[in-house]
Amino acid sequence: MLALSRKTGESIVIGPDIEFTVLEIKGDQVKLGINAPKSVPIYRKEIYVQIQEANKEAANAGTNPDALSKLF
């Protein structure tokens, strides 16, 4: 993992078209602004994990013969 220090108003650039800017630091919270193409999905990690788990459950449901029989 790369750890970088930034102050309010400073940015980090990833690739040619993704930029993170520190907008505000208040106590133990940091507010980030993300500038990226609309084609790049951006999620909070806890939401991303939920999406991945739901996708795994949906994929596993397709291999369960009982689940298939319920569909028909």
Side-chain angles (χ1 to χ4, degrees):
M1 175 189 307
L2 174 65
L4 300 170
S5 298
R6 300 280 72 201
K7 295 178 182 177
T8 301
E10 294 181 337
S11 298
I12 295 170
V13 176
I14 299 176
D17 53 3
I18 299 174
E19 180 178 0
F20 290 86
T21 303
V22 177
L23 301 177
E24 181 181 357
I25 302 170
K26 188 184 285 186
D28 64 347
Q29 286 191 332
V30 177
K31 187 180 288 187
L32 298 174
I34 303 169
N35 189 7
K38 291 194 181 286
S39 61
V40 176
I42 300 172
Y43 303 103
R44 295 187 334 242
K45 184 173 180 178
E46 60 272 17
I47 301 299
Y48 181 77
V49 169
Q50 288 178 352
I51 292 169
Q52 294 301 313
E53 289 172 0
N55 286 343
K56 286 179 187 175
E57 287 177 19
N60 290 337
T63 59
N64 183 344
D66 294 331
L68 287 176
S69 65
K70 289 180 183 178
L71 290 174
F72 297 106

